[in-house]
Amino acid sequence: MPLRRRTFIRQLGLGAAALNLASTFPLAVEAASLKSSTPEAQGVSSAGILAFLQAVADSKHEFHGFMMVRRGAIIAEGWWRPYRPNARHMLYSLSKSFTSSAVGFAVTEGLLKIDAPVTSFFPDDVPPTISDNLAALRVKDLLTMSVGREKDSMGIITKEENWVKSFLSLPIEHQPGTVFLYNSGATYMLSAIVQKVSGKRVKDYLAPRLFNPLQIYNLSWETCPRGINTGGWGLSVQTDSLAKFAQFYLQKGMWKGKQILPQAWIHEATTFKIQQPATGGKDLEQLKQTSDWHQGYCYQFWRCRHNAFRGDGAFGQFAIVMPDQDAVIAINSETSDMQGILNLVWDNLLPAMNDTPLPADAASHSKLKHTLASLALPPTASQTSPTAAGISGKVFQIDPNESGVRAVRFDFSPAACKFTLTDADKEYPVQCGTTTWVDGETNMPGTPPKITVGDLRPVKVAARGVWQDDNTWVMTWRYYETPHHDKVTCRFDGNNVKVEFLNSVSEISSSHKDSRPVLSGRIQS
């Protein structure tokens, strides 16, 4: 290995164990884009993909992005406007599979062992008395969601400044390694461990090892108050990055002819490790016939039916790897029924795949290309209202409320409306198109829902508004780097207005209530 590269690796703080691995990936970025092909050339029916897209349109699921790769070639890709290919998308728990990859690299480089006690990495954060179960907790137990706790620690630790110390202080009711319980706090601890042994955040640690070789650049990853990547959530990447990540695992750690992560680790990380229990008195064997959440858990990956495996995240973020079919599928969406999305894949895309190339089908392929190019979330028909002229430019003083909102204002033009909300701190404008989506940014409090407490970064938004009737103006604010959107309904009655906010999580889940109050106000005299 050239001296310059050895020096660079030592500067990373990886030591001698990394020198051999360093030869498996280049420092210079190489072309990593997936090639494109027709579905039929790769043994897939264009009509089958069309049937899948029609099933999506007929379903309750809201898709944002979709890519299908067969035999290393992209055969279908599309985004439902205002979502777009060059925008990253929040992954929620699909972030866990990337954190698992970071652990794999650290193990390969000799920085840690999966049998190492978790307490050994954080001697300054352990409780005064270490229980037997805490002492027995290993890195492998974090990877397999078998910490031994009776509930997820995430909601507890994220309220503290030191998440590591909080995690280690919580009781462990069962022997580690014996009971599966989904625990995002466990994945955070994996991130903290990788940072401890490498001296780098997981995002930065993965850059030369995974992200750069796969040309995954447009990404972000949230951090805890102490600057550690959240691990179990908070990563955002583009849909094509998700597809490349899945293809990387399908190729057993190989990329562009280089073995980036050992096949042995890929096998270890994606094969059955622990069984998810049946709940609600249901029969486990029956659940295995229909549920992709009862096929076994791996190292931050899930087993699927049809001998597939996947990384997934809340509201419908998927990286599905299908070794038997030599295919991967990447999906970004918002849904309350993630099993329903997987059913669409198994019912439509799986039977569309054949072992040998198919005869060209020009008509179906042409229709597929047109359908993919014209995907859009259905807009509400736009209309005008005489009310707009009377309220445009007027400030509505808002009654005292829990959110501290003091005023709202509507400024209408022929093709847009600028909505401005004012509280004690500042003004928050959102520009809405009336016939098209208008892009912008906002950090209006409460938009969209955020897991990490204190995350005040502005978010990108595409906004559009319509008159539902003469006195009801409805805006849709799509935070297109997340799965979520807001529906803002403004009802006018003379000089009075009522503004009601409904986020999409509340819209699809009866267990989640939008905490923002209905605002009532009148035109300022």
Side-chain angles (χ1 to χ4, degrees):
M1 182 188 303
L3 179 61
R4 180 175 59 84
R5 294 190 65 186
R6 288 179 176 271
T7 302
F8 179 81
I9 295 299
R10 289 194 178 97
Q11 288 173 346
L12 288 176
L14 301 179
L19 293 175
N20 292 333
L21 184 68
S23 63
T24 67
F25 58 85
L27 295 181
V29 175
E30 58 181 60
S33 298
L34 297 169
K35 63 182 181 180
S36 296
S37 178
T38 65
E40 280 72 22
Q42 305 304 325
V44 182
S45 162
S46 291
I49 302 175
L50 280 166
F52 169 76
L53 295 173
Q54 186 59 53
V56 170
D58 293 339
S59 75
K60 61 183 177 181
H61 313 295
E62 180 184 285
F63 270 51
H64 301 156
F66 160 72
M67 291 186 69
M68 184 174 182
V69 180
R70 182 88 193 279
R71 296 171 181 156
I74 301 169
I75 59 171
E77 58 181 330
W79 288 264
W80 283 254
R81 286 188 294 274
Y83 292 85
R84 71 251 358 224
N86 62 350
R88 57 195 178 202
H89 197 286
M90 183 184 292
L91 299 186
Y92 279 101
S93 284
L94 183 42
S95 309
K96 292 177 170 66
S97 300
F98 288 84
T99 301
S100 171
S101 304
V103 173
F105 282 110
V107 169
T108 300
E109 295 172 13
L111 298 180
L112 64 89
K113 296 180 179 180
I114 62 171
D115 289 329
V118 173
T119 54
S120 67
F121 299 99
F122 308 105
D124 296 334
D125 291 317
V126 296
T129 301
I130 300 176
S131 68
D132 291 343
N133 282 343
L134 178 57
L137 184 64
R138 300 294 191 265
V139 173
K140 184 175 182 178
D141 304 322
L142 301 176
L143 284 166
T144 57
M145 296 295 188
S146 58
V147 172
R149 294 213 165 107
E150 292 187 350
K151 62 180 180 179
D152 187 355
S153 59
M154 187 185 77
I156 300 173
I157 69 174
T158 52
K159 296 177 182 177
E160 307 296 331
E161 191 274 337
N162 187 336
W163 293 8
V164 168
K165 186 173 184 178
S166 178
F167 180 92
L168 296 173
S169 72
L170 299 174
I172 299 177
E173 293 85 357
H174 306 284
Q175 181 182 350
T178 63
V179 178
F180 174 88
L181 179 81
Y182 199 71
N183 190 336
S184 293
T187 320
Y188 167 77
M189 291 298 290
L190 292 171
S191 176
I193 288 170
V194 171
Q195 182 164 329
K196 191 68 178 286
V197 300
S198 72
K200 292 183 176 294
R201 294 177 182 173
V202 165
K203 174 178 175 287
D204 300 323
Y205 179 69
L206 283 177
R209 294 161 177 79
L210 180 68
F211 295 142
N212 291 353
L214 271 61
Q215 288 192 328
I216 298 175
Y217 301 127
N218 182 22
L219 72 150
S220 64
W221 205 326
E222 296 174 24
T223 62
C224 76
R226 300 174 74 211
I228 300 168
N229 285 132
T230 47
W233 68 95
L235 176 62
S236 297
V237 301
Q238 295 178 184
T239 312
D240 67 334
S241 299
L242 205 51
K244 287 188 283 190
F245 178 69
Q247 184 68 23
F248 170 72
Y249 268 83
L250 178 65
Q251 295 172 180
K252 300 179 180 179
M254 181 79 71
W255 196 258
K256 296 296 180 180
K258 295 181 174 63
Q259 193 69 46
I260 295 176
L261 194 57
Q263 289 189 28
W265 175 264
I266 299 292
H267 177 80
E268 179 74 8
T270 60
T271 49
F272 180 98
K273 293 296 178 292
I274 191 169
Q275 179 64 55
Q276 305 97 322
T279 57
K282 296 181 179 179
D283 180 77
L284 179 60
E285 293 307 313
Q286 288 184 341
L287 282 172
K288 287 181 179 180
Q289 302 303 310
T290 59
S291 170
D292 286 285
W293 271 265
H294 291 86
Q295 306 301 315
Y297 197 71
C298 318
Y299 287 172
Q300 310 285 294
F301 287 88
W302 302 81
R303 294 297 303 175
C304 301
R305 290 176 290 166
H306 309 292
N307 195 37
F309 63 90
R310 72 186 187 278
D312 72 33
F315 305 104
Q317 321 317 314
F318 289 101
I320 305 168
V321 182
M322 305 168 68
D324 291 353
Q325 290 74 32
D326 194 5
V328 304
I329 296 167
I331 295 171
N332 291 124
S333 64
E334 183 172 41
T335 183
S336 61
D337 178 16
M338 291 175 64
Q339 180 64 65
I341 287 183
L342 289 173
N343 291 344
L344 292 179
V345 171
W346 307 141
D347 293 345
N348 296 279
L349 295 179
L350 183 61
M353 289 185 263
N354 300 270
D355 294 334
T356 58
L358 298 175
D361 184 351
S364 293
H365 186 228
S366 176
K367 184 177 180 182
L368 175 61
K369 288 197 297 183
H370 174 76
T371 300
L372 289 168
S374 57
L375 293 171
L377 296 176
T380 305
S382 181
Q383 65 182 72
T384 59
S385 167
T387 302
I391 63 173
S392 185
K394 304 293 177 63
V395 175
F396 289 79
Q397 184 175 341
I398 300 299
D399 297 339
N401 58 87
E402 296 175 3
S403 295
V405 177
R406 294 183 174 181
V408 296
R409 174 175 169 150
F410 304 83
D411 290 282
F412 284 91
S413 62
C417 171
K418 180 181 178 183
F419 171 82
T420 305
L421 180 146
T422 304
D423 62 15
D425 297 321
K426 61 185 298 186
E427 292 184 345
Y428 304 93
V430 176
Q431 187 84 1
C432 300
T434 55
T435 57
T436 59
W437 298 96
V438 174
D439 289 350
E441 276 193 347
T442 183
N443 58 353
M444 187 182 297
T447 57
K450 295 179 180 179
I451 293 179
T452 306
V453 177
D455 182 3
L456 301 178
R457 295 172 300 167
V459 294
K460 294 181 179 178
V461 59
R464 187 172 179 178
V466 298
W467 284 100
Q468 197 172 77
D469 57 49
D470 281 353
N471 296 306
T472 308
W473 170 248
V474 181
M475 296 176 285
T476 301
W477 301 344
R478 291 198 170 273
Y479 309 102
Y480 58 86
E481 290 192 333
T482 84
H484 309 305
H485 65 269
D486 275 333
K487 181 179 179 181
V488 186
T489 303
C490 309
R491 295 182 174 89
F492 301 95
D493 181 10
N495 290 334
N496 301 313
V497 69
K498 285 187 180 296
V499 181
E500 182 177 0
F501 297 88
L502 178 64
N503 66 52
S504 54
V505 179
S506 301
E507 196 171 3
I508 65 175
S509 173
S510 59
S511 63
H512 184 279
K513 187 179 186 303
D514 196 311
S515 61
R516 292 168 291 183
V518 176
L519 305 177
S520 299
R522 61 204 50 82
I523 292 177
Q524 205 169 45
S525 56

